[in-house]
Amino acid sequence: MPGFVKMEMEDRLAIVTVNRPDSLNALNSIILRELSVAIEHLSMAADVGAIILTGAGDRAFVAGADIKEMANLSGLEMQHFSEMGRRLGDAMASCNKPIIAAINGFALGGGCELALACDIRIASVRAELGQPEVGIGIIPGFGGSQRLPRLVGPGWAAEMIYTGDRINAATAERIGLVNRVVPADRLLAEAKALAHKILEKSPAAIALAKACLRAAWDMPLSAGLDFETAAFGIVGSTQDKAEGMRAFVEKRKPAWTGA
Ligand code: COA
């Protein structure tokens, strides 16, 4: 794919890289569109089972939405810019493959929000995360005010969003913003190892599990439990269910079809 988003395939693993290192991978409207297209493409690709999202270079995952672009936008244009981020977040949530953020450096503003829209976050020791928007006179606009409190609780979200302070990787791990912190030179390998564990499992089950986890974000408990029960019925009718249980009884590895 041309432009600012690089996509590489390693068997069933897609590695998507925001590639604008001169601007610390800041998200302009072109990148927002390219990322949405890439995720939608990968969601529909039958030969893809997991996605890693990272930033080019050794300084930044994504250092935010592009301030130089936003500086010239009217209120209505700011709203459209936010809508582009919203569409990307929706594409990531509805993508039926898990997305792992490999946070290799600054994940600020829109970068932190991009990581929040992933299913799992792994950080390099060098990562710094934050929502510094109030320092430039705006608020988070790509879902941060909604996803951050759901992930780390209202108190930490309020502190991060009101102060704009950056937190280091260890603090991010302690508050649950990232799952774990790894040495910088191990980040991609650790993200791949995690992805490969997922790739060994039933693609049909993983897709339905992701739909249920999304329901847990969006729905009240009773509706979410109904959703899970219905999804359990669907997964129960798959070839993968039949194969997984047969393989267990026959003491062999299952051969998934994803159907
Ligand atoms: N939008 C546009 N450009 C950005 C950017 C952003 N969010 N973040 C960094 N850049 C650009 C810088 O303008 C600079 O470009 P230049 O060389 O043409 O001047 C380049 O990336 C390198 O950044 P620089 O600020 O020189 O690096 P630094 O090491 O001194 O500081 C940061 C790094 C991340 C602390 C600093 O770039 C920063 O605060 N960025 C903005 C973070 C932010 O507020 N994000 C939320 C936006 S909603």
Side-chain angles (χ1 to χ4, degrees), residues 13 27 37 43 51 68 70-72 80 131 157 177 209 223-224 254 256:
L13 174 61
L27 300 174
V37 170
S43 186
I51 300 164
K68 291 167 189 165
M70 285 190 294
N72 300 312
H80 289 156
Q131 297 288 164
L177 181 47
W256 307 120

Side-chain angles (χ1 to χ4, degrees), residues 5-253:
V5 173
K6 198 168 76 179
M7 199 159 75
E8 295 156 295
M9 291 300 306
E10 291 184 7
D11 296 325
R12 295 178 54 240
L13 174 61
I15 301 169
V16 176
T17 305
V18 180
N19 188 20
R20 195 191 177 200
D22 290 351
S23 295
L24 302 183
N25 304 321
L27 300 174
N28 58 22
S29 44
I30 299 170
I31 301 183
L32 290 171
R33 275 194 223 101
E34 285 185 0
L35 277 175
S36 294
V37 170
I39 297 295
E40 269 158 24
H41 166 78
L42 293 171
S43 186
M44 287 182 286
D47 56 348
V48 173
I51 300 164
I52 291 174
L53 184 57
T54 193
D58 57 3
R59 295 205 60 215
F61 174 69
V62 164
D66 189 328
I67 299 170
K68 291 167 189 165
E69 182 174 344
M70 285 190 294
N72 300 312
L73 302 185
S74 68
L76 198 56
E77 288 166 336
M78 287 288 277
Q79 189 177 334
H80 289 156
F81 196 61
S82 174
E83 280 162 4
M84 275 191 260
R86 165 75 191 270
R87 274 197 285 278
L88 173 58
D90 285 350
M92 292 167 74
S94 60
C95 172
N96 55 8
K97 287 97 196 224
I99 306 176
I100 300 167
I103 305 172
N104 50 313
F106 292 117
L108 304 176
C112 190
E113 292 168 299
L114 187 65
L116 285 167
C118 293
D119 296 277
I120 298 171
R121 285 149 294 279
I122 300 184
S124 135
V125 282
R126 291 213 290 258
E128 289 187 45
L129 298 93
Q131 297 288 164
E133 288 89 348
V134 293
I136 53 168
I138 60 170
I139 61 170
F142 295 167
S145 69
Q146 305 304 302
R147 292 196 178 96
L148 188 60
R150 279 170 169 78
L151 192 64
V152 303
W156 268 105
E159 183 168 337
M160 286 178 68
I161 291 173
Y162 296 161
T163 66
D165 282 351
R166 301 202 290 261
I167 58 172
N168 63 21
T171 304
E173 182 181 29
R174 185 161 53 82
I175 68 175
L177 181 47
V178 303
N179 286 25
R180 59 186 153 280
V181 180
V182 300
D185 61 356
R186 292 282 313 150
L187 178 64
L188 214 48
E190 296 286 342
K192 285 182 188 178
L194 176 57
H196 282 294
K197 283 189 193 173
I198 295 168
L199 291 171
E200 283 172 14
K201 305 299 188 295
S202 151
I206 294 289
L208 282 160
K210 178 159 175 175
C212 288
L213 288 168
R214 184 184 175 192
W217 278 69
D218 288 347
M219 293 182 187
L221 181 61
S222 58
L225 291 171
D226 288 346
F227 189 96
E228 184 190 82
T229 296
F232 204 72
I234 296 169
V235 84
S237 68
T238 62
Q239 291 173 13
D240 277 5
K241 176 257 185 183
E243 167 63 7
M245 296 199 175
R246 206 165 39 232
F248 175 82
V249 173
E250 294 170 3
K251 300 185 189 301
R252 60 172 174 80
K253 279 182 85 167

